[in-house]
Amino acid sequence: MKKNIGTCFIELKPSKEIIVNSNEAGISIDMPIAAKSIELLSVDGKNIIYVEGNENDLLFQINLEGVAKGFYLLRVTDINEKVTIKKIIH
């Protein structure tokens, strides 16, 4: 997107990074492109939560109520099969 500021043009490029915010209640995930799947894994690889992606959604909320406190891995697979893993401390 380009914006005209006086005689300058500034091109704003969207972030291509997955943004993850976590708090006591859950995790919010802001995707640059659609997700195929989102998984919350324990450190030993057990699947704790699995969310099927939707090509129309770029923002996901995952409720962590009932999930024990600890260290987890968030595995996000986008529609292009690119896998991103983020560390989560709950």
Side-chain angles (χ1 to χ4, degrees):
M1 167 173 41
K2 290 185 180 179
K3 294 213 174 205
N4 185 357
I5 301 177
T7 58
C8 291
F9 281 96
I10 299 173
E11 188 167 353
L12 304 174
K13 295 186 178 184
S15 171
K16 296 191 183 209
E17 211 174 293
I18 296 172
I19 300 169
V20 177
N21 293 309
S22 63
N23 59 39
E24 287 292 316
I27 303 170
S28 65
I29 305 161
D30 191 359
M31 300 283 300
I33 64 171
K36 181 177 179 183
S37 65
I38 299 172
E39 301 168 86
L40 184 69
L41 306 168
S42 63
V43 289
D44 61 354
K46 291 181 185 168
N47 195 327
I48 307 300
I49 295 174
Y50 179 85
V51 177
E52 189 75 33
N54 178 335
E55 64 185 50
N56 297 320
D57 289 335
L58 298 179
L59 183 63
F60 292 87
Q61 300 288 332
I62 298 177
N63 185 347
L64 294 180
E65 195 172 313
V67 175
K69 303 283 186 207
F71 181 77
Y72 295 91
L73 299 174
L74 185 71
R75 179 184 165 135
V76 180
T77 305
D78 70 23
I79 57 172
N80 296 325
E81 299 295 326
K82 179 182 174 198
V83 175
T84 301
I85 297 178
K86 299 277 189 175
K87 298 172 196 161
I88 301 292
I89 298 173
H90 172 59

